[in-house]
Structures are given as structure tokens and as C-alpha cells.
Amino acid sequence: PVSLFGAGNFLLFIFGIQKTTANATAIIYTISPLLAAILSHKAIAERSSRAKWLGILIGFIGVLLILVLPLIEQGSVPSGDAFGNLLIFGAVFLWTFYNVGSRYLVINKHYSSITIASTMIGFSFILFLLLTLVTSGTRFVAPLAVGNNALLLIFLALFVTVLTFLLHQYVIKHTSATTAVLTNYLIPVFAFGIDAILLGETVTGGFMVGSIFVFAGVFIATGANVFRQIRLRS
């Protein structure tokens, strides 16, 4: 059932992003740490300290500065499509359930991180392969022979999918569901930063201030636990 939540998040995200805007999607996903903190407390009695709540709030402000401030300066509103936004909200809720459910499995049922990650990836592979065959027929095979598409697909499969979700499960195991979802705050920072390096995007003052808020929020929310783990290991 937890794998269903993970696969459902991907499915709703794919259909939702076709209907709404990338900016609206990114903004909606910023509520996931808050949802994870609330759901983990209600469902598995996982408590969040005041520092973690403060970190979530500060990081949330930072992400909004990065995403919304440039749009306000340009005079546009990141509203997106109502139905697409609804699908993205559904994806966020399923992503939250996946993280909280994973924490329950690894702590209460003693499943390994590899088992949880591989089950979700395997189930998602079967689901999306069937959907691809139904919607695309065999048209998705021919592009693999063009250029380096096959190598790119292998890279995405190994590093962007398998390694990423395996590391994500280890974060859930050794910290908490809420801490793992805090990575959603870091995605815009690294995405905009890499765009600036590789694509020559302009780094604005709003981005710099927002990034400081994000890193400060993540540090406040997780720093105490990190230092505690260091002391225990030493």
C-alpha cells in the first residue's frame, strides 16, 4: 500500500503538470513538510520540536521568496489551472503518505530501506510501463536509438531514480518523515543554482535571500539531530 502512495504521487504529478504551470506546482509542493509534520504526529505519534516547526516556517518563507518574488516583479501570478493544481495537491498528499508510511514500515515493522525503495520503484515501473504501452504503443522504443538517448535514460534510471530514492529512504530511517520531506525546500535552490552555472540564468537578490532562509530553516529543523548523531557516534 505504501508503494501505491509513491506511484500515485508520480501519476498525479505527471497529469497535473500538463495542466498547470511549473511555478504553481513548485509552490504547492512547499506545503509537504508541514503536512508531513502534522500527519506523522497524528498517524505514528512522531513529535516535531519547536525548532523543527520554526525551521519549516523559515524554509517555507525562503522557497516562496525564490519562486514568487521574480513572478511578482514580472507582474505575473503563479495561479495555474484549477484542475491541474487539484491534481498536484493530490500528488502532494500521496507523497506525504508515502513518507510517513515509509517511516512506519522502517521503524515499527523493521523493513529495510532497500526493500521499501525497491518495492516502490518496481511497482511504479510496472504501472508506468503498462500505461506507456497503452498510450504510446511502440513509439517510445525508436527514440532510444537516437544519439545518446539510451545512455541518458540509463543515467536517469540509476542516479535520478534508484540512488535518489534509496538515499531518501535512508534519510527517513535515520531522521524522520518530516526531515526527509524538507528536501523539497532544497530542490528550488539547487535547481536555480545549477541553471545559473550551466545555462547562464541570472542570480537575483531575491534568490540569494531566499536561499539563506532555506538553508537556515533546514539547519534549524535538522541541526540538533545531526549534532546528536555525531555525539552518539563519537
Side-chain angles (χ1 to χ4, degrees), residues 21-219:
T21 64
N23 288 319
T25 299
I27 292 171
I28 293 171
Y29 262 90
T30 59
I31 68 172
S32 54
L34 177 60
L35 290 177
I38 295 173
L39 182 62
S40 61
H41 176 68
K42 297 292 185 181
I44 59 177
E46 185 176 271
R47 295 186 177 275
S48 294
S49 64
R50 291 182 180 179
K52 182 168 289 187
W53 283 106
L54 179 62
I56 291 173
L57 177 60
I58 294 175
F60 178 76
I61 294 173
V63 174
L64 290 184
L65 285 173
I66 293 173
L67 297 174
V68 178
L69 193 59
L71 298 174
I72 295 177
E73 293 173 349
Q74 297 169 8
S76 59
V77 180
S79 57
D81 175 79
F83 180 66
N85 289 345
L86 186 62
L87 291 176
I88 298 299
F89 270 112
V92 170
F93 276 101
L94 291 179
W95 177 241
T96 305
F97 289 137
Y98 170 73
N99 281 274
V100 175
S102 296
R103 176 69 176 177
Y104 172 79
L105 291 178
V106 75
I107 297 300
N108 296 83
K109 298 297 183 179
H110 307 293
Y111 281 89
S112 70
S113 300
I114 295 178
T115 299
I116 299 173
S118 60
T119 302
M120 190 276 292
I121 293 172
F123 180 82
S124 300
F125 169 75
I126 295 172
L127 173 63
F128 284 97
L129 177 61
L130 294 175
L131 289 175
T132 301
L133 292 174
V134 171
T135 58
S136 302
T138 58
R139 289 178 294 173
F140 71 95
V141 177
L144 293 178
V146 178
N148 295 321
N149 286 352
L151 292 176
L152 177 61
L153 188 63
I154 294 173
F155 172 82
L156 293 174
L158 292 179
F159 294 98
V160 180
T161 304
V162 175
L163 182 59
T164 297
F165 280 96
L166 183 59
L167 291 175
H168 186 78
Q169 284 297 331
Y170 276 109
V171 174
I172 292 175
K173 177 180 179 179
H174 294 288
T175 58
S176 67
T178 305
T179 300
V181 181
L182 278 172
T183 55
N184 285 3
Y185 285 171
L186 297 173
I187 291 174
V189 176
F190 283 96
F192 279 75
I194 292 174
D195 282 348
I197 296 173
L198 299 182
L199 303 178
E201 296 284 346
T202 302
V203 176
T204 64
F207 170 78
M208 298 300 296
V209 174
S211 298
I212 293 173
F213 270 81
V214 168
F215 284 118
V218 172
F219 179 78

